Amino acid sequence: GVTNSDIVMISRGGIQAGEEEIQLLAAEAAALKVQIVEDAARMQSECIRRVAEARQKDQETIKNLRSKCESLQAQATGREREILRQMKAMEASHVKAADQLETDYDREILSEADRFRQMEAELRRLVEQLVNFREESFRRVESERTKQHEHLLQRVEEKNVEVV
């Protein structure tokens, strides 16, 4: 059974003081729970806000990098187009220069061919003139020979007549 040593006597004031302390502790625990819930909600809101800010900053950074990348690509494309334009212009200039050189060369060849034909014609004319002159000279010499021969024959005839 229960012995005297097991029975403890507590005064009503002590019990009431203990109950008040328990109520105070329970109220404090409830207040702490509310504060913990509020702190957790505030921390969660702060975390969500910071994550949203970080995302926003990341999105802005990504947008800026994309814009910079697009700008660099556009610049590179522009430079490539300009280089291609310059190359085509150079090529066209070279083709034009080559065409001009070819035209000049063809003109010079035609001019030289014309001069050659003129010189050939002059040479033929001179050869023909020389041949004609030679033939004429031969005819004159032959005519002169014939005249001298006839003149000689006539003189011989005259001499023969004188002798007879």
Side-chain angles (χ1 to χ4, degrees):
V2 177
T3 61
N4 280 343
S5 62
D6 290 333
I7 296 179
V8 176
M9 299 266 256
I10 300 178
S11 68
R12 259 185 220 240
I15 292 177
Q16 195 173 9
E19 284 179 358
E20 284 177 12
E21 189 176 340
I22 289 173
Q23 284 178 354
L24 281 175
L25 288 173
E28 191 177 333
L32 285 174
K33 280 182 185 179
V34 168
Q35 187 176 353
I36 287 173
V37 167
E38 287 175 354
D39 286 349
R42 188 176 38 76
M43 285 181 167
Q44 187 176 12
S45 292
E46 181 68 17
C47 183
I48 289 170
R49 185 187 61 77
R50 284 185 180 176
V51 166
E53 278 181 14
R55 277 194 184 134
Q56 182 63 31
K57 282 184 181 178
D58 289 347
Q59 291 300 321
E60 286 177 21
T61 301
I62 290 169
K63 181 181 174 185
N64 289 338
L65 288 174
R66 277 189 182 138
S67 176
K68 190 173 184 177
C69 183
E70 288 170 2
S71 174
L72 289 172
Q73 285 177 336
Q75 288 175 4
T77 301
R79 281 193 295 268
E80 287 173 6
R81 282 189 188 130
E82 179 60 20
I83 288 169
L84 186 61
R85 186 196 64 76
Q86 289 175 354
M87 284 174 48
K88 284 184 178 181
M90 262 195 261
E91 183 181 348
S93 174
H94 289 168
V95 166
K96 183 178 178 184
D99 287 348
Q100 185 61 46
L101 286 172
E102 189 175 344
T103 300
D104 292 348
Y105 183 70
D106 288 346
R107 190 177 307 123
E108 194 172 318
I109 286 175
L110 289 173
S111 174
E112 289 298 316
D114 284 346
R115 267 188 30 184
F116 181 74
R117 281 191 292 278
Q118 288 172 358
M119 291 177 89
E120 271 186 328
E122 179 67 14
L123 183 61
R124 278 193 301 273
R125 188 187 63 77
L126 288 173
V127 165
E128 187 178 318
Q129 198 176 33
L130 185 63
V131 166
N132 289 340
F133 180 73
R134 188 173 169 199
E135 288 173 357
E136 182 63 31
S137 294
F138 280 137
R139 276 195 295 275
R140 280 186 188 167
V141 166
E142 195 59 40
S143 172
E144 203 51 47
R145 254 191 219 150
T146 305
K147 280 182 187 176
Q148 283 181 1
H149 184 70
E150 287 174 2
H151 184 46
L152 248 165
L153 284 176
Q154 192 178 21
R155 284 190 76 190
V156 167
E157 192 67 39
E158 285 175 6
K159 291 277 183 192
N160 282 340
V161 169
E162 282 179 18
V163 171
V164 175

